[in-house]
Amino acid sequence: MTKTTPKESQSCQYEVVDDPEKGLTIRLRGAMNAANAPGLIREFRGMLKDRDLSSLTVDLGEVTYLDDFGTLVLTELRNMAAEVKAAFKIENARNKVAQMLEVLHFDRLDRKISFEKVRPPGIFVRLGDATFRHASDLKYLISFIGSVCLSLIHVCLHPRSLRREDTFLCMQRTGVDALPIVGLISFLLGLIMAFMSSVQLQQFGANIYVASLVSLAMTRELGPIMTAIIVAGRSGSAFAAEIGTMKVSEEVDALFTMGFDPTRFLVVPKMIASVIVVPVLTLFSDLFAILGGMVVGVFILDLTASAYIDQTLKTLTLFDVFWGFFKGAIFALLIAWVGCLRGFRVTGGAASVGQATTSAVVSSIFLIILTDSVLSVILRYWG
Amino acid sequence: MRNVIIQVRDLVAGYGEEVILDGISFDVYEGEIFVVLGGSGCGKSTLLKHLIGLIKPISGRIIIDGDDLSHSDDETFQKILRKIGVLYQSAALLGSLTLAENVALPIEEYTDLPKDSIETLVKMKLNLVNLDGYENHLPSEISGGMKKRAGLARAMALNPKILFFDEPSAGLDPVTSAGLDNLIIHLNKILGTTMVIVTHELDSIFAVAHRVIMLDKHTRGIIAEGDPRYLRDHSQNPFVSQFFNRRPDPGAGP
């Protein structure tokens, strides 16, 4: 019979007795809790790793306190014994300790537990699932368009039913608050464009055409697109997040049960506000870009300001400006629509709101570019 | 003499300039179920937020198990946080993780248990709150009562010395709520955890509380302290007896 000296693992000590007849006995002493359980488990694993066991007895006679971490140590010991098919026994547990083991269902804990995530289903199941999901999305999309149209018609017929304060607030947030950033980005864009084109045009002595290039490109294409992208990032995401959070906290349901149409209450003000302010923002964007171009024209290309403005006015027709204005309105409609749509599709919790916001921005930008291409083609063939 | 585990002295609590609790002092003893109660807006939740360190007091001291929470450096603060667990009103389970992952989160972070042992431990914790079999469920897939129990399992993940409960019965049906009360009593008995509960559910107070303090909106302080049953039957303070006997304000209602 061999006996090892008591070892200490923080406040819990143990002693291992190896008796050829009785098998291995571990005598524990003190409190077995969260502080010493990890250490004990590691030590026992190391100790019993290559040991030939016939039986393992755990003596709890001097254990004063045992919680679930302590029970975990015992479970581990039992698993180790089971691995080498050794008999396992617990001895002398005090009343309180035995009670704890009872409460934690120590006897029933032996089966191997695994929290492996449920395996993803097969490809056909996922394909079918995706099909159903997209079909339901499409269905919702169509019904949402219908509901928005109906609400808009209702508001046109009964202008007093429009929530005016919400609309003004939304106009301020979407339009006025966005003005500095739209102005700055457009100014820099005009500057870059003038600078890059001047390098080429200077070779032909066609400096003055920098003005035409900047004004035409900005007014017809880049102004509306840049403005729309900024608004999508600022306000489209905000619409989705706001409605999504309202959905999560059941505010949308509350509106519904109070007899409000959530679409009319939440979507229409945002849509009307956006359609009014985004074209105006587009005009500002054009102005700032032309100003940016003019800075390059005056300071690098030695043009006079009046010559630059004159050339700009000669190039631009009223149609170009209106075309940009019109595109701004279309883009605004798309941004507000997609933002609100994604918001209403939120289910569950915080993560879903995040996804809706991302998806609102990405889809708006995609739709903006797509619509712009379609409009360009229309203008080319029918214009 | 029992050990004092939470000591609050001259606590002035509030938000910014607005004082909600003015100079309150009380002790919580180790191993007891202590209930903070009072009418709406009396500062129960404010007190709780101060006790768990979410808000710093305007003045006064909060000493938790020997460490001063109100004037602690980062290290002491972390040490105190390890001694407490909180069950929030809405359970506050992380929605993107399963119940098992939610409970395993603090265990993985603060102990160096091997991974397979953590799984067994999590199983035990969920067993303890009668949620065996729901390990792989997401919080959105279970009922309100189950969420609370899972939140409790997560709060007790590291066997803290003190558990705080914010309105544990809010939004639960009487049966589930009584079940949760029993669970609180049971855990208090077997683990010896000190429980601090903020609530105004009378049934629950009479069922679980060893001792209560009652806060009052007008005096911004404690108006009663002691055994809830004694207070109900013998309190001289009209508001206290009104509260415990569930009588409306004179003039309220038709």
Side-chain angles (χ1 to χ4, degrees):
Chain A
M1 180 168 138
T2 55
K3 197 169 175 180
T4 44
T5 45
K7 288 189 182 173
E8 194 175 343
S9 189
Q10 295 195 23
S11 62
C12 181
Q13 293 143 2
Y14 65 91
E15 184 180 71
V16 182
V17 184
D18 199 355
D19 185 333
E21 268 179 39
K22 221 184 142 200
L24 197 70
T25 306
I26 297 176
R27 208 163 276 149
L28 289 147
R29 188 178 306 147
M32 295 172 73
N33 54 28
N36 51 39
L40 283 174
I41 289 178
R42 268 170 224 285
E43 280 171 38
F44 287 143
R45 278 195 180 177
M47 187 178 84
L48 297 176
K49 202 172 169 200
D50 301 311
R51 206 140 182 173
D52 202 18
L53 276 180
S54 60
S55 82
L56 177 64
T57 311
V58 179
D59 187 342
L60 297 180
E62 289 173 65
V63 171
T64 48
Y65 175 84
L66 177 117
D67 62 8
D68 40 6
F69 282 82
T71 311
L72 181 68
V73 177
L74 300 180
T75 317
E76 288 291 325
L77 280 172
R78 187 171 55 189
N79 286 347
M80 283 180 243
E83 254 167 52
V84 292
K85 302 212 166 58
F88 179 83
K89 203 164 65 174
I90 286 183
E91 277 184 353
N92 305 332
R94 288 184 190 189
N95 210 3
K96 232 181 153 183
V97 171
Q99 215 178 1
M100 192 69 197
L101 290 177
E102 170 78 40
V103 166
L104 291 170
H105 307 302
F106 180 66
D107 299 331
R108 278 188 278 147
L109 273 172
D110 52 352
R111 54 206 146 96
K112 240 350 195 176
I113 313 141
S114 186
F115 298 139
E116 292 307 308
K117 281 253 164 131
V118 184
R119 271 161 52 97
I123 181 154
F124 290 109
V125 177
R126 272 184 289 161
L127 188 69
D129 198 38
T131 313
F132 279 120
R133 207 175 46 241
H134 284 297
S136 122
D137 272 350
L138 189 71
K139 208 172 123 192
Y140 187 79
L141 192 134
I142 292 168
S143 79
F144 188 70
I145 295 179
S147 145
V148 168
C149 289
L150 280 179
S151 304
L152 281 173
I153 292 169
H154 180 92
V155 169
C156 289
L157 295 178
H158 310 90
R160 306 195 72 159
S161 71
L162 176 67
R163 295 184 55 81
R164 224 160 301 153
E165 271 155 37
D166 282 0
T167 314
F168 284 129
L169 189 71
C170 189
M171 280 165 76
Q172 190 206 329
R173 290 203 182 134
T174 311
V176 181
D177 295 352
L179 193 55
I181 187 70
V182 167
L184 182 68
I185 288 183
S186 305
F187 179 81
L188 292 175
L189 204 66
L191 204 94
I192 296 163
M193 216 190 305
F195 194 70
M196 295 311 290
S197 57
S198 72
V199 178
Q200 306 298 322
L201 292 174
Q202 234 170 357
Q203 296 174 14
F204 307 103
N207 283 355
I208 191 69
Y209 289 107
V210 167
S212 309
L213 194 141
V214 170
S215 56
L216 201 64
M218 279 310 290
T219 317
R220 283 179 74 148
E221 284 298 327
L222 289 173
I225 286 196
M226 282 317 292
T227 312
I229 288 177
I230 294 168
V231 171
R234 282 186 83 256
S235 305
S237 56
F239 296 160
E242 185 189 332
I243 296 181
T245 312
M246 289 180 81
K247 190 105 196 286
V248 171
S249 56
E250 297 182 322
E251 287 173 48
V252 173
D253 297 346
L255 285 176
F256 183 76
T257 45
M258 277 189 286
F260 290 104
D261 175 6
T263 317
R264 203 184 305 152
F265 196 96
L266 296 169
V267 181
V268 171
K270 294 181 172 58
M271 219 158 217
I272 289 179
S274 309
V275 170
I276 292 173
V277 293
V278 173
V280 180
L281 274 181
T282 309
L283 282 188
F284 274 103
S285 159
D286 299 344
L287 277 178
F288 278 101
I290 290 169
L291 198 70
M294 197 160 82
V295 169
V296 172
V298 171
F299 291 101
I300 295 181
L301 300 176
D302 291 331
L303 298 169
T304 60
S306 62
Y308 191 95
I309 293 170
D310 193 46
Q311 180 65 24
T312 302
L313 290 178
K314 241 190 261 171
T315 314
L316 287 182
T317 59
L318 199 58
F319 177 77
D320 294 326
V321 177
F322 271 121
W323 184 245
F325 204 78
F326 169 71
K327 281 212 282 203
I330 299 281
F331 295 158
L333 210 63
L334 286 174
I335 294 166
W337 173 67
V338 171
C340 296
L341 173 76
R342 295 295 182 214
F344 277 114
R345 289 302 272 173
V346 166
T347 49
S352 181
V353 176
Q355 276 170 8
T357 315
T358 309
S359 157
V361 175
V362 174
S363 327
S364 325
I365 292 179
F366 169 71
L367 282 177
I368 288 164
I369 306 282
L370 186 76
T371 316
D372 192 56
S373 326
V374 173
L375 287 177
S376 301
V377 172
I378 293 176
L379 187 65
R380 174 75 183 73
Y381 288 101
W382 288 312
Chain B
M1 184 65 200
R2 286 181 298 169
N3 289 333
V4 173
I5 196 160
I6 304 177
Q7 205 173 24
V8 176
R9 287 291 171 271
D10 305 319
L11 173 72
V12 179
Y15 305 94
E17 294 289 290
E18 195 191 352
V19 173
I20 293 174
L21 295 168
D22 200 356
I24 62 167
S25 304
F26 61 89
D27 289 332
V28 179
Y29 299 106
E30 197 163 357
E32 77 174 339
I33 302 182
F34 183 83
V35 173
V36 178
L37 52 89
S40 301
C42 68
K44 297 189 299 280
S45 301
T46 312
L47 177 61
L48 184 75
K49 280 182 189 160
H50 281 79
L51 289 177
I52 59 181
L54 286 177
I55 310 175
K56 293 262 173 205
I58 297 174
S59 70
R61 293 197 305 160
I62 299 169
I63 295 167
I64 292 191
D65 200 24
D67 293 309
D68 193 338
L69 178 71
S70 34
H71 304 96
S72 60
D73 50 37
D74 263 4
E75 205 178 316
T76 331
F77 190 63
Q78 286 300 323
K79 198 174 128 205
I80 296 172
L81 286 185
R82 291 281 301 276
K83 289 182 196 164
I84 65 172
V86 186
L87 172 59
Y88 290 92
Q89 194 169 350
S90 59
L93 296 166
L94 300 185
S96 53
L97 303 179
T98 62
L99 297 195
E101 287 167 334
N102 261 295
V103 178
L105 199 62
I107 303 177
E108 279 167 3
E109 184 67 27
Y110 293 112
T111 68
D112 56 349
L113 281 174
K115 199 170 179 311
D116 49 341
S117 312
I118 292 183
E119 289 183 355
T120 317
L121 185 64
V122 167
K123 173 91 181 167
M124 263 190 265
K125 299 270 179 202
L126 287 173
N127 258 340
L128 210 54
V129 295
N130 307 323
L131 275 179
D132 29 344
Y134 290 96
E135 288 83 5
N136 291 325
H137 282 62
L138 286 171
S140 52
E141 295 165 349
I142 57 174
S143 71
M146 288 158 87
K147 270 188 213 168
K148 290 249 164 128
R149 280 185 277 149
L152 181 54
R154 188 181 65 177
M156 332 187 292
L158 297 167
N159 288 342
K161 281 187 151 178
I162 311 166
L163 273 175
F164 292 92
F165 296 78
D166 189 8
E167 307 258 357
S169 340
L172 299 183
D173 67 83
V175 177
T176 316
S177 171
L180 193 66
D181 289 346
N182 280 344
L183 188 62
I184 291 173
I185 296 170
H186 180 66
L187 291 173
N188 171 262
K189 215 175 263 169
I190 62 164
L191 292 171
T193 317
T194 310
M195 313 263 185
V196 177
I197 305 174
V198 165
T199 186
H200 49 218
E201 291 288 318
L202 278 179
D203 296 337
S204 177
I205 294 165
F206 290 126
V208 302
H210 296 158
R211 213 155 56 83
V212 304
I213 56 168
M214 185 164 177
L215 302 175
D216 178 48
K217 189 155 64 172
H218 305 294
T219 58
R220 297 192 293 196
I222 299 171
I223 50 165
E225 182 172 355
D227 185 316
R229 280 161 289 265
Y230 182 84
L231 290 177
R232 173 187 57 192
D233 301 332
H234 300 99
S235 178
Q236 300 300 317
N237 186 314
F239 182 66
V240 175
S241 103
Q242 191 189 356
F243 184 94
F244 280 111
N245 292 297
R246 214 169 165 274
R247 282 195 304 267
D249 272 334

